[in-house]
Amino acid sequence: MNILTVENLGKSYGTKVLFENISFGLDDSDKIGLIGINGAGKSTLLKIIAGGETPDSGKVTCESNLQLGYLPQNPAFQSGATVLQQVFKGSSPVMRLITEYEYVLAKLQQHPNDSLLQNELMALSQRMDEQGAWQLESEAKAVLTKLGISDFGAVVDNLSGGTKKRVALAGALLTPADLLILDEPTNHLDHHTAYWLEQYLNQRKGALLLITHDRYFLDRVVNKIFELDRVKLYTYPGNYSAFLAAKLQRREQEQASESKRQNLLRNELAWMRRGARARSTKQKARIDRYYKLEGEKPEESSDKIEISVGSSRLGKKVIELDHISKYFSGKKVIANFSYIVARDDRIGIIGSNGCGKSTLLNIIAGALVPDQGRIDVGETVKIGYFSQADVQMDGELKVIEYLKKEAEVVPTADGSVITASQMLERFLFPPQLQYTPISKLSGGEKKRLYLLKILMSAPNVLLLDEPTNDLDIQTLTILEDYLDEFSGAVIAVSHDRYFLDRTSERIFAFKADGEISQYTGNYSEYLAFTKAQAEIQEEAISLVSTSQAANRNPESAQPKINASEKKEKAAKFSFKEQKEYEQIESLVANTEKELAEANEKINLAGSDYSLLQDLVATQQELESKLDLLIERWAYLTDIAEAIESNKNNG
């Protein structure tokens, strides 16, 4: 069922046309992803649909009583409001009731003996019962917890920018809406939270219209793509993968049409050169046709931009981190971390919000000093640091002037040079935009320009802190292609799973208490590894439990099959066994370490018999676990040897 119709919509800012004459309809089952380069007008289009901005032309028609929820890119916050009060600031009756209840509750906590407040709270509680508002409040706390927010009474003014955006997202998700509009909801979400949001939106009833640069998110959530491209709106059925295939087909059709036009133009040009007698009506029509064909110039495509900027020479020594630690307010955010950066490293850094990822980059960049340990940077290292912090730009400067302050020209990989203007064109700044004051750019365009300035400095080590925030998909694709050819080390903090899969060959994963684990492979391979490791540990725990049960009830134990019999049955690994075989030695080593620590604690326990009893129980459990792991290791090793023997005999 159609719930909203857009007819001949147009919007401009000064001389810049964002879109014109665009029309579409939204059905109640649509889940639409809106994409396009920064500055194309995506956020403006959402504002117009949400009623926050007026178009220059055209109109938006909604069905009667349409309920709409909206998360803008820069949400407004009520000064002094708590987290829950901000979440419940919606206009529906139940949202207003919960807001009133939370307000009175907060006042009563300040004045617990106020009888008027007590009576008012009791009356509000009864109304909450009648309208079923308790369930919504419970759901709000559950959603906030999933978004990493546990202090529901915290004042929003005191929260970080990322946390504020997640509070606003919770408010949008909880607002009863037939159409939910979200502008960049995945910004400031870590990987696990983005995955939760995917599931939440897939289960949600009602229409959805969102802007996001997260390509995996688009692939898993939407069933239609809108693309704003050169003031026009194109519609593609299906998810992001289907969009890529359909857009490729559209581009091929445009190229075929252009080829046909060029052939016609050549024929007309040949006729014109032979001399046309303009007095003839038929000849006059043909001359008009020539000029019409000549005027039909194809629109330039910005899909594929090649960047081959060279980098400074990088010596053998790059960056060495030697047992570094860092504390903030007594909390350890990096714990005894060591790593030697190689010249061609491609490292992705992941972890929950606020765990210390940016701190690590700041230490590498020299902006912070570790509290313990040392960092040694090679003499030839030239760091380019893309920070997620707000960058101060002179708004009066023109785009090209800002870039020329970094470099007039830069060397390319093949030894030639490229000018600042050419580089801007390759980075989606057409000539007419290059002389625009920076103050006129969108937030995403400013980020793109800032990134380009860093690349033009010809660094040989790139530090990228959340580069995917506020950058459009086309810019990310350009950056990914650039990194493919970059002849230096790249260390990137990102929550964008697609970006990490495209660019990373090693993952640094922040754990609790500042520990950083290292994994070889990209993000998806890291996920597969951790999942397989968890399954192995669960199986080991299950084996230990089974063994303990069998020891308590020997008659219930099943007859054992020896390793040679198992080897005869299995001449190859299953996928799960392969993963288990790859990790079994480390599990054995870790268990041996835990057992040694338990033995040491037993030796130090002295005459504390209560503690000794617990430690001995732990020791026996670890010994049982180790025996089972060693037995499992022997079994898997036998299969591996059989596989190798079959290969040699074959």
Side-chain angles (χ1 to χ4, degrees), residues 34-190:
L34 176 61
I35 64 175
I37 67 170
N38 292 128
K42 302 186 300 296
S43 293
T44 301
L45 179 57
L46 293 196
K47 287 178 188 176
I48 291 172
I49 294 172
E53 195 156 332
T54 305
D56 296 335
S57 59
K59 63 179 181 177
V60 178
T61 307
C62 304
E63 72 165 359
S64 59
N65 302 320
L66 178 73
Q67 290 185 299
L68 191 145
Y70 176 45
L71 172 71
Q73 195 169 46
N74 298 302
F77 297 94
Q78 181 182 345
S79 179
T82 66
V83 168
L84 276 179
Q85 288 169 346
Q86 181 66 38
V87 166
F88 293 127
K89 70 172 188 147
S91 59
S92 69
V94 68
M95 297 289 263
R96 289 199 300 269
L97 174 60
I98 295 174
T99 301
E100 189 177 358
Y101 174 83
E102 289 293 333
Y103 173 78
V104 173
L105 179 62
K107 294 286 287 183
L108 188 59
Q109 288 172 344
Q110 296 172 3
H111 308 283
N113 298 320
D114 190 321
S115 59
L116 290 176
L117 287 175
Q118 291 173 355
N119 293 333
E120 189 175 358
L121 189 68
M122 289 180 62
L124 287 169
S125 297
Q126 185 174 349
R127 288 173 58 195
M128 293 271 285
D129 285 333
E130 293 168 354
Q131 297 189 31
W134 297 113
Q135 182 179 352
L136 185 58
E137 185 180 38
S138 176
E139 184 182 354
K141 291 178 179 178
V143 168
L144 285 166
T145 302
K146 288 291 185 180
L147 292 173
I149 301 166
S150 55
D151 187 355
F152 310 129
V155 177
V156 176
D157 296 341
N158 301 330
L159 303 178
S160 67
T163 305
K164 286 181 179 178
K165 184 68 181 283
R166 282 180 275 135
V167 171
L169 173 59
L173 295 177
L174 290 161
T175 300
D178 304 306
L179 170 60
L180 180 60
I181 300 176
L182 304 175
D183 195 346
E184 296 287 7
T186 56
N187 277 5
H188 308 292
L189 299 187
D190 59 33

Side-chain angles (χ1 to χ4, degrees), residues 545-560:
S545 300
T546 303
S547 175
Q548 290 173 342
N551 289 336
R552 288 193 296 269
N553 301 287
E555 66 279 1
S556 66
Q558 297 294 321
K560 292 186 178 181

Side-chain angles (χ1 to χ4, degrees), residues 267-282:
N267 292 336
E268 295 300 305
L269 181 60
W271 180 81
M272 289 285 290
R273 285 174 175 169
R274 286 198 298 269
R277 288 171 295 176
R279 293 179 183 176
S280 167
T281 303
K282 187 177 292 187

Side-chain angles (χ1 to χ4, degrees), residues 271-300:
W271 180 81
M272 289 285 290
R273 285 174 175 169
R274 286 198 298 269
R277 288 171 295 176
R279 293 179 183 176
S280 167
T281 303
K282 187 177 292 187
Q283 291 167 340
K284 176 67 166 60
R286 194 161 182 181
I287 291 171
D288 292 343
R289 179 185 173 192
Y290 165 75
Y291 286 116
K292 182 181 179 183
L293 283 168
E294 189 180 36
E296 291 175 353
K297 293 182 179 179
E299 294 176 313
E300 294 180 3

Side-chain angles (χ1 to χ4, degrees), residues 305-527:
I305 310 293
E306 293 183 359
I307 299 180
S308 57
V309 176
S311 59
S312 306
R313 185 187 69 83
L314 186 59
K316 187 175 181 181
K317 179 191 280 188
V318 184
I319 299 170
E320 296 180 5
L321 304 171
D322 184 17
H323 298 285
I324 65 168
S325 296
K326 187 67 181 177
Y327 300 81
F328 284 114
S329 302
K331 179 185 176 183
K332 185 182 290 186
V333 293
I334 299 175
N336 196 33
F337 179 65
S338 298
Y339 186 76
I340 299 175
V341 178
R343 294 171 61 176
D344 58 350
D345 260 343
R346 295 290 187 272
I347 299 169
I349 303 177
I350 64 173
S352 60
N353 292 317
C355 66
K357 304 185 296 295
S358 296
T359 300
L360 179 59
L361 286 195
N362 282 325
I363 289 174
I364 295 172
L368 284 176
V369 177
D371 295 323
Q372 296 171 358
R374 66 180 184 87
I375 177 169
D376 192 4
V377 180
E379 293 182 0
T380 60
V381 169
K382 183 177 182 181
I383 291 176
Y385 186 16
F386 180 91
S387 171
Q388 67 170 315
D390 289 335
V391 182
Q392 298 301 317
M393 292 179 167
D394 184 351
E396 299 300 316
L397 278 179
K398 293 180 173 63
V399 168
I400 194 164
E401 292 172 342
Y402 175 80
L403 205 58
K404 282 184 175 181
K405 287 182 73 174
E406 182 63 44
E408 294 272 352
V409 297
V410 290
T412 62
D414 60 8
S416 59
V417 295
I418 184 171
T419 67
S421 179
Q422 290 171 325
M423 193 64 176
L424 281 166
E425 282 197 65
R426 295 185 182 192
F427 228 73
L428 308 180
F429 287 99
Q432 64 271 23
L433 194 56
Q434 294 179 17
Y435 291 90
T436 300
I438 290 175
S439 60
K440 301 293 185 182
L441 299 181
S442 70
E445 287 173 320
K446 289 177 182 177
K447 281 284 189 179
R448 192 196 314 153
L449 182 60
Y450 168 53
L451 174 63
L452 180 54
K453 180 183 179 182
I454 291 167
L455 300 184
M456 283 201 62
S457 68
N460 50 32
V461 174
L462 269 176
L463 305 180
L464 305 174
D465 193 358
E466 297 289 6
T468 59
N469 277 358
D470 303 316
L471 291 182
D472 55 78
I473 290 174
Q474 283 178 276
T475 304
L476 291 177
T477 302
I478 293 167
L479 176 60
E480 289 158 2
D481 290 342
Y482 170 86
L483 295 179
D484 286 342
E485 305 299 326
F486 181 69
S487 56
V490 180
I491 305 174
V493 171
S494 181
H495 63 267
D496 189 313
R497 299 156 292 177
Y498 189 102
F499 180 80
L500 289 172
D501 276 351
R502 271 285 278 112
T503 61
S504 300
E505 296 172 358
R506 180 179 292 272
I507 295 293
F508 288 174
F510 271 74
K511 305 294 184 181
D513 301 323
E515 292 186 12
I516 304 174
S517 299
Q518 301 177 33
Y519 302 86
T520 301
N522 62 18
Y523 178 71
S524 290
E525 290 166 335
Y526 154 77
L527 278 185

